[in-house]
């Protein structure tokens, strides 16, 4: 508004800059220049009456959400909360100190952070998840704000989020691009061409609002306008100066991720004078509205006949549908392959709890992190091979303390003719490498259903690996599957060798057992339905009298079932031999490919005979 | 042109459709409908005088390139080459048969395929690599054509490629979007809204040409126009009908990835009548121009003083610069962190052989696949953590028979204060899981330089893991580092325990050795500079008298050094104990974090004492 005074915001922005400089100089590292460029616009957001948040109750369902997609600007985030009076100057000075919640890049160790950032281009997807939740699940009026850097606009994942946000008409989502022109090692692709960002964003159906990111009149007007946009998300594109407020380093290359020394910082703070270091900002509180809660209901167990041929991928879909009443926070996402993963069984039963995320796996996983941060229980599916597309988002999800179950279908060469591009052969390695993850690899429909139920009960990252083809039901409906456990399917006192397998190769092992039995050779067969964790004592018990182990897996040897078993048996004298996918696969019939990779019955029989 | 006759192209398109139907029905699977939608436009490209290719010499440097980004339309690709008379009808009928080069999704087993496709959204990046090569390296007039599906336009990687292609002004790159409206399980986000694609593509600086993909006048005019565009790439956006030419399944949902049965196929082929099954198309030949070849020159060895503190990441950059004259096919790509990975040492020396790929790792890897397919030797760097962003592209590169060296810097918790988002902790697992990959993990500058040289000599996927902090030079300039080998740095006849380490933890092991030596306890220390392959016999030899192994790594336990060593020692009775990053890391000083994760000297000493 003309004549409006912004002295309050200007004063607060100086406090924010003072905090940014103080804490980075104290730490001797960090990203002050990337923080300074967005200091004005974020001060305007938080203290200009736009950001509705009760700092005393960060968990309030209707609080607005803020995601710092440019996570390296963490000093700005901490400075804002210090300027809000929510952390002390003393706490702020623990920035980057071991054990402090104020980490180099934001993590939920800091109570006002919902999702870890620092790998660029992921924050907008998290925001999409939060905005989907507000609009379609919790039906709350809170808004989600995401601060993006201009460098990260090069990441495709940002454009995945942009298109999906427009598709779902998320007018409760506001992005802010801090166009400070300079990336880590020089100018970005578009420099200060803010119009370039505007045209692109508009072409995807967003409202673009281009401003000078250091002019409070424009900043305040931009947020006012953004809040009025209906039917589509808004992107504020702010032309800014990297290092703004510290003339010595403003708009200079070579100052990315570099703290000022004490002398430089003192001089810079001196130039901010006069300002009131004790000035603190107020945020407006949101309406205390809460989502309707659906009560949890008990559900029947799975119903399959022993020997019935059912694909585990299908059992996954059936399980989701069966379990939803017991887990009403459940929400299901799929990357345009729900008729293959069988997530469609759920989507047809509960369309309001299903989001089609199209062929954009990175954004799908980021959105799941956002949904998880809002208390939902996301189940995310695609082909196991295509979950690798979101490897970085899956990696980051562990730092967001996310609660997500992933299901990768079409595991291994047993998919057959479609060929290697469609074969998940490194998914176990990927998911095992996530700290404290749980990896399930069910072989039949009953274990799939039971393990999906375990996944819903567990907190954290869970992976369920399913198979394309049908397999016979092995277990009765009352069988229980403990985490870390396994099942001895064939075993006797004369066993000298045990085969440990899961999924499709378990049936090859059972066939090998039968063939060898005819020759009077005993073979122990163990179903390793839980690949991570493996409780060593449980596995050793299951080996019984066997003195050698053969692992058989439809996966590369590295990081897979074989190495998991070796790790579980490390320190014992039991040798472990690994049959796994070691040759580059081809198109062909499933049985041909299992033979070619030497993970079929014949190879197991051969290996057992070698060992005896 | 008005009045122009397209009878020849129409006739050929019928032959192409006939081939598509025949081979998919014979195989009993495949994607006929997704092939039929693009049959006309691709017939127009290949036989309308646009695609310049000498089929007798697929390796001719100036042949135009064609990438089927929508790899599931492989029947179309094979049908086109059959219609060109380059494969017989008999060969075509081996589609999807085990051992046939005509795989379910295209791979270079088929001689006219440069890069494997089938994971959507990757082909345009490969095309960017080929077009970069034509424009900036080989300086040849060949063009690169990429056929995209409309579903895959949801993939962020496509938009990464779109922006980079415009940035590098690749007017030798032509994309074609086959907008057939239907994805795998239903309508795409934009259906037949071809204008939506046009606006988006234009906003990124491309020329958009919107046509009816079944009208040969429009098809021919579109290619003519595309070839005249200067200074930017062109995208032909073709509105098409899925299943076109087979009325029973045209534009029908539920017909994705489904072959017609014999009766349906016969009926469909009957409706194509009359047409000449023996008609074959001609392609125009390109000018036989060839790139200038730079002769390889011998280069001096690395020059470091023993004990000198040099970061291995810096040695990587130095090695690239030093080695280039010996490997003039070398080209270096980095994702906007060249001042951290030290690829900038190369880019400053040889700017014409360096491509800044900005913060878009997926497209960077796809482009490297394209450069590799054109005979270049790409070295691709980013933080190890951020290479996970391109996990799927790295996975696919193995099926493209690509020849790429990846370098991941900032490995492990030893990066310190920046925190977990920046720490590569799963990169060894990722790269080990690639078939026949080689994984190097040098600890000092000399081994880094020597291993980068090995990487340049090797064909295939090589990974070099580098460390942020400096480490003392351990090796003299004449030390050689064999693939599959290791180095015993400390060893004696009394050793009972061996520590196997690499990178930063090797120095913790050496410190542990020194501390234990004071107490009279011997400790063997082995530098495992090559994590894959590990030649078991070489490793067993290096263990000498040691009867237990401790592995220590700045990486998660799963899929890392410990499991690699276990696999190499599988079947022996030597127990392997793994010290690795098992707790969620924090921000902090490198030494604090090594202690926290129990991978520092103290933890090694403690473990050794436990074992004795």
């Amino acid at each position: 508004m003309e004549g409006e005074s912004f002295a309050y915001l200007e004063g607060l922005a100086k406090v924010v800059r003072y905090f940014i400089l103080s804490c980075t100089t104290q730490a001797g590292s960090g990203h002050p220049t990337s923080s300074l460029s967005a200091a004005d616009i974020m001060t305007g957001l938080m203290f200009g009456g736009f950001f509705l948040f009760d700092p005393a109750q960060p968990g309030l369902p209707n609080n607005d959400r803020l995601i710092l997609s440019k996570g390296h600007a963490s000093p700005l985030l901490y400075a804002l909360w210090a300027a809000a009076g929510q952390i002390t100057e003393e706490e702020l000075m623990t920035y980057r100190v071991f054990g402090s919640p104020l980490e180099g890049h934001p993590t939920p160790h800091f109570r006002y952070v919902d999702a870890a950032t620092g790998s660029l281009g992921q924050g907008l997807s998290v925001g999409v998840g939060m905005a989907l939740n507000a609009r379609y699940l919790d039906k709350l009026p809170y808004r989600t704000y995401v601060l993006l850097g201009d460098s990260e606009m090069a990441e495709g994942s940002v454009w995945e989020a942009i298109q999906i946000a427009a598709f779902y008409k998320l007018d409760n989502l506001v992005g802010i691009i801090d166009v400070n022109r300079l990336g880590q090692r020089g100018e970005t692709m578009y420099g200060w061409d803010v119009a370039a960002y505007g045209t692109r964003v508009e072409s995807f159906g967003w409202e673009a609002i281009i401003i000078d990111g250091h002019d409070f009149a424009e900043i305040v007007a931009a947020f006012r306008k953004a809040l009025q946009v209906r039917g589509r998300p808004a992107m504020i594109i702010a032309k800014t100066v990297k290092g703004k407020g510290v003339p010595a380093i403003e708009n200079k290359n070579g100052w990315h991720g570099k703290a000022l020394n004490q002398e430089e910082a003192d001089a810079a703070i001196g130039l901010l004078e006069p300002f009131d270091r004790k000035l603190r900002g107020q945020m407006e509180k949101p309406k205390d509205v809460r989502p309707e809660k659906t009560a949890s209901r008990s559900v029947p167990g799975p119903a399959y006949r022993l020997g019935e041929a059912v694909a585990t991928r299908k059992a996954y879909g059936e399980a989701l549908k069966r379990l939803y009443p017991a887990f009403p926070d459940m929400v299901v996402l799929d990357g345009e392959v729900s008729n293959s993963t069988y997530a469609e069984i759920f989507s047809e039963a509960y369309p309001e709890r299903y989001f089609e995320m199209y062929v954009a796996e990175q954004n799908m996983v980021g959105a799941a992190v956002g949904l998880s941060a809002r208390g939902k229980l996301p189940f995310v599916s695609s082909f196991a091979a295509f979950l690798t597309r979101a490897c970085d988002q899956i990696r980051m999800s562990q730092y967001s303390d996310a609660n997500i179950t992933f299901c990768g279908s079409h595991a291994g060469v047993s998919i057959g003719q479609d060929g290697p591009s469609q074969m998940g052969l490194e998914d176990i390695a990927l998911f095992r490498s996530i700290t404290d993850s749980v990896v399930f690899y069910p072989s039949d429909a009953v274990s799939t259903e039971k393990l999906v139920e375990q996944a819903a009960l567990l907190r954290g990252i869970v992976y369920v690996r399913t198979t394309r083809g049908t397999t016979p039901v092995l277990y009765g409906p009352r069988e229980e599957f403990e985490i870390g456990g396994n099942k001895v399917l064939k075993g006797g006192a004369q066993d000298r060798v045990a085969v440990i397998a899961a999924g499709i190769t378990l049936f090859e092992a059972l066939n090998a057992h039968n063939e060898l039995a005819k020759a009077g050779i005993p073979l122990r067969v163990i179903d390793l339905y839980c690949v991570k964790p493996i409780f060593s004592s449980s596995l050793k018990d299951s080996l019984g009298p066997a003195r050698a182990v053969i692992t058989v897996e439809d996966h590369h040897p590295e990081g897979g079932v074989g190495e998991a078993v070796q790790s579980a048996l490390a320190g014992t004298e039991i040798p472990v031999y690994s049959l796994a996918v070691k040759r580059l696969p081809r198109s062909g019939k499933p049985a041909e490919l299992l033979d070619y990779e030497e993970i079929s019955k014949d190879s197991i029989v051969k290996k057992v005979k070698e060992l005896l």
Side-chain angles (χ1 to χ4, degrees), chain A:
Chain A
M1 304 287 146
E2 215 174 330
E4 213 170 343
S5 164
F6 300 104
Y8 166 69
L9 292 176
E10 282 159 6
L12 279 168
K14 288 192 171 195
V15 174
V16 167
R17 289 199 160 86
Y18 161 65
F19 285 152
I20 290 168
L21 294 169
S22 310
C23 76
T24 50
T25 292
Q26 164 81 15
S29 67
H31 297 75
T33 56
S34 308
S35 297
L36 291 165
S37 58
D40 296 318
I41 191 154
M42 296 308 287
T43 299
L45 168 63
M46 285 187 73
F47 306 119
F50 303 106
F51 193 67
L52 309 181
F53 196 95
D54 182 352
Q57 305 180 73
L60 212 63
N62 197 35
N63 275 338
D64 282 350
R65 313 314 303 173
L66 170 61
I67 298 149
L68 196 75
S69 189
K70 52 176 293 189
H72 54 291
S74 59
L76 168 61
L77 185 74
Y78 306 140
L80 288 164
W81 286 104
Q86 298 306 316
I87 53 174
T88 64
E89 233 176 298
E90 204 180 345
E91 283 173 296
L92 185 66
M93 291 308 139
T94 67
Y95 172 57
R96 288 181 167 239
V97 170
F98 184 67
S100 165
L102 309 185
E103 303 203 67
H105 291 74
T107 73
H109 286 124
F110 182 55
R111 66 186 175 283
Y112 299 115
V113 168
D114 291 316
T117 50
S119 181
L120 291 175
Q122 301 196 8
L124 194 61
S125 298
V126 176
V128 163
M130 294 179 160
L132 284 172
N133 179 66
R135 159 66 63 93
Y136 295 100
L137 302 177
D138 282 353
K139 301 190 169 81
L140 291 178
Y142 74 79
R143 282 198 165 77
T144 302
Y145 296 89
V146 181
L147 178 66
L148 298 129
D150 48 354
S151 273
E152 68 179 316
M153 297 302 291
E155 287 284 13
S157 52
V158 175
W159 298 96
E160 293 182 4
I162 285 176
Q163 74 189 339
I164 287 276
F167 180 79
Y168 281 110
K169 303 186 194 310
L170 299 178
D171 54 17
N172 55 358
L173 178 66
V174 179
I176 303 152
I177 314 179
D178 174 18
V179 186
N180 66 21
R181 191 183 73 82
L182 292 169
Q184 170 174 326
R185 55 81 266 157
E187 192 167 66
T188 64
M189 260 184 280
Y190 308 121
W192 266 331
D193 185 358
V194 283
Y197 296 104
T199 317
R200 284 161 176 73
V201 161
E202 276 173 357
S203 79
F204 276 79
W206 286 50
E207 176 86 16
I209 305 167
I210 295 176
I211 60 165
D212 173 346
H214 302 302
D215 178 326
F216 276 108
E218 293 196 23
I219 291 168
V220 165
F223 284 115
R224 279 187 190 140
K225 188 168 172 195
L227 299 193
Q228 282 160 11
V229 175
R230 291 291 172 273
R232 60 210 164 114
M235 187 72 83
I236 297 173
I237 300 161
K239 183 176 172 181
T240 63
V241 175
K242 197 159 174 172
K244 177 73 178 181
V246 181
I249 56 173
E250 275 183 4
N251 194 28
K252 273 201 186 144
N253 204 10
W255 273 93
H256 182 94
K258 216 163 155 180
L260 280 69
N261 65 31
Q262 194 62 57
E263 198 183 338
E264 291 165 337
D266 289 344
I269 291 165
L271 290 174
L272 294 173
E273 301 284 1
F275 70 100
D276 176 6
R277 295 178 190 210
K278 299 291 168 205
L279 182 67
R280 293 296 177 268
Q282 288 292 324
M283 282 172 289
E284 303 287 327
K285 290 203 172 72
K287 275 189 226 161
D288 188 4
V289 286
R290 287 159 194 268
E292 279 180 47
K293 274 281 170 197
T294 309
S296 162
R297 289 191 288 115
S298 69
V299 295
Y304 299 95
R305 280 173 293 107
L306 280 178
E308 188 183 352
V310 185
T312 55
R313 60 179 170 134
K314 190 155 192 197
Y316 169 75
E318 297 287 0
L320 293 180
K321 177 180 166 187
R322 181 176 64 82
L323 293 167
Y324 172 65
F327 299 95
D329 288 328
M330 192 186 275
V331 51
V332 176
L333 287 74
D334 190 275
E336 229 274 77
V337 289
S338 60
N339 54 341
S340 289
T341 60
Y342 282 110
E344 74 172 9
I345 296 174
F346 179 90
S347 73
E348 283 166 6
Y350 302 105
E352 73 286 2
R353 305 294 301 186
Y354 174 80
F355 293 108
E356 176 57 61
M357 301 305 279
Y358 296 93
V359 195
E361 297 81 4
Q362 297 190 75
N363 178 64
M364 172 166 71
V365 175
V369 170
L371 287 160
S372 160
R374 305 271 63 212
K376 297 302 170 291
L377 208 61
F379 281 74
V380 173
S381 50
S382 184
F383 282 34
F386 305 143
L387 288 178
T388 62
R389 196 59 155 267
C391 179
D392 193 20
Q393 281 78 5
I394 294 166
R395 177 182 79 86
M396 287 298 293
S397 73
Q398 72 189 308
Y399 304 126
S400 292
D401 193 24
N403 190 24
I404 304 173
T405 297
F406 295 92
C407 176
S409 71
H410 293 66
V413 301
S414 74
I415 67 159
Q417 286 84 347
D418 271 337
S421 63
Q422 320 292 301
M423 297 170 175
L425 290 166
E426 46 290 293
D427 51 315
I428 296 178
L430 190 166
F431 282 99
R432 280 185 71 231
S433 79
I434 303 298
T435 309
D436 296 330
S437 64
V438 170
V439 176
F440 292 137
Y441 188 3
S443 300
D444 82 337
V446 169
S447 53
T448 305
E449 292 246 15
K450 297 284 181 124
L451 292 169
V452 172
E453 187 160 0
Q454 293 274 16
L457 288 164
L458 277 165
R459 261 206 67 82
I461 303 301
V462 181
Y463 179 57
V464 180
R465 184 180 218 225
T466 64
T467 299
R468 178 172 187 261
T470 62
T471 48
V473 170
L474 293 169
Y475 297 105
R478 274 185 214 81
E479 188 84 25
E480 292 305 324
F481 295 82
E482 282 180 20
I483 291 168
N486 59 79
K487 300 278 177 190
V488 180
L489 296 187
K490 300 285 175 188
Q494 305 308 315
D495 297 336
R496 288 169 61 196
V497 177
V499 172
I500 299 178
I504 199 82
T505 57
L506 183 66
F507 299 92
E508 300 295 323
L510 289 170
N511 289 341
H513 167 93
N514 293 342
E515 183 167 317
L516 288 164
K518 285 177 203 154
I521 302 170
L523 178 64
R524 205 168 187 87
V525 178
I526 296 172
D527 174 7
L528 191 71
Y529 60 82
C530 184
V531 180
K532 184 182 173 192
I534 298 176
F535 294 143
S536 297
S537 57
S538 160
L539 186 58
K540 283 175 207 162
D541 286 351
S542 294
L543 293 180
R547 284 293 157 265
V549 164
I550 301 169
T551 59
V552 195
E553 62 191 302
D554 196 356
H555 184 276
H556 287 150
E558 297 88 0
V561 172
E563 294 197 345
V565 167
Q566 276 167 23
S567 286
L569 297 178
T572 72
E573 292 183 355
I574 300 164
V576 177
Y577 302 90
S578 156
L579 301 181
V581 176
K582 295 175 185 171
R583 306 166 74 169
L584 219 55
R586 307 289 307 251
S587 285
K589 290 181 192 152
E592 287 171 332
L593 294 172
L594 294 175
D595 279 338
Y596 179 69
E597 299 293 348
E598 301 182 8
I599 55 173
S600 66
K601 180 204 71 179
D602 289 353
S603 296
I604 298 170
V605 166
K606 191 176 150 215
K607 189 76 195 171
V608 171
K609 287 182 174 168
E610 261 176 48
L611 294 179
L612 292 175

